[in-house]
Amino acid sequence: MAKFLHHLDERLTAFIQQQHMFFVATAPRDGRVNLSPKGMDTFRVLSPTRVGYLDLTGSGNETAGHLLENGRLTFMFCAFDGPPLILRLYGIGKALRAYEAEWGSLRPAFGGTIPGERQLIVLDIATVQTSCGFGVPTYSFDAQRDTLRTWAEKKGTEELVEYRALKNRTSIDGLPTGF
């Protein structure tokens, strides 16, 4: 049975911290829904009503484009081991870049520098939802992939800036992303 809350409690915060993967969902008013898996220990609980993740350069930038258009953002976590649980965090999000004032106060919470870091995606939580997760299968975690980190290291800072200008300037539906 689904349960709704207005903030994260200690139990749910601990659950988030134990997860190796989470999902990010956004959608424009018109166009494609974007649902992306994320990992690499990039997610942080900033307060009971605020969370975020360090977003790394990738082939697209749908999340930033959708957030600029309407701000709607959902994070989902699933228990793939231990007791079953699905946790969804709903609210209004924004993408923050290194040149923005809030970056300096938030970035230290996300740990050391990761090659290819692009922006922070931050969510102000409106609703927390838990549900049973009885239908979610169990999986064993082996390791995080190192492919994205290695790719970003090989590109280097200048090539990553060029790559983002070429590949991350608009969403697949043509929305501007802020780059």
Side-chain angles (χ1 to χ4, degrees):
M1 174 174 238
K3 181 178 177 183
F4 292 91
L5 307 163
H6 295 291
H7 65 276
L8 293 168
D9 59 24
E10 289 179 15
R11 179 182 70 88
L12 295 176
T13 297
F15 173 75
I16 289 171
Q17 292 168 343
Q18 295 167 359
Q19 303 312 303
H20 300 288
M21 183 172 66
F22 61 98
F23 299 86
V24 178
T26 57
R29 280 186 285 279
D30 295 310
R32 296 168 181 91
V33 173
N34 185 58
L35 176 61
S36 296
K38 303 289 182 182
M40 298 179 63
D41 190 32
T42 57
F43 196 92
R44 298 292 183 272
V45 175
L46 303 169
S47 78
T49 58
R50 195 168 215 212
V51 297
Y53 73 95
L54 179 61
D55 185 57
L56 307 175
T57 301
S59 58
N61 198 5
E62 301 310 295
T63 301
H66 296 170
L67 293 179
L68 274 175
E69 187 203 50
N70 62 43
R72 294 180 307 150
L73 176 61
T74 301
F75 291 122
M76 185 179 77
F77 298 85
C78 299
F80 292 112
D81 59 7
L85 178 66
I86 298 172
L87 172 64
R88 292 181 183 89
L89 308 176
Y90 301 97
I92 300 298
K94 61 183 170 180
L96 297 170
R97 280 38 171 254
Y99 58 82
E100 296 180 75
E102 204 173 0
W103 175 275
S105 62
L106 289 178
R107 177 59 187 86
F110 294 85
T113 302
I114 299 177
E117 56 186 61
R118 173 171 61 186
Q119 59 203 349
L120 295 174
I121 303 296
V122 178
L123 172 73
D124 290 314
I125 297 171
T127 307
V128 174
Q129 179 194 17
T130 60
S131 57
C132 67
F134 293 168
V136 176
T138 60
Y139 285 95
S140 296
F141 175 74
D142 292 328
Q144 294 288 350
R145 295 179 196 268
D146 200 34
T147 311
L148 188 58
R149 179 186 305 264
T150 303
W151 172 83
E153 286 172 345
K154 283 181 183 176
K155 280 233 177 268
T157 304
E158 284 184 33
E159 280 191 48
L160 283 171
V161 169
E162 292 170 10
Y163 181 88
R164 285 192 284 264
L166 181 65
K167 302 278 189 179
N168 293 172
R169 199 166 287 239
T170 61
S171 74
I172 58 177
D173 293 313
L175 295 173
T177 65
F179 275 98

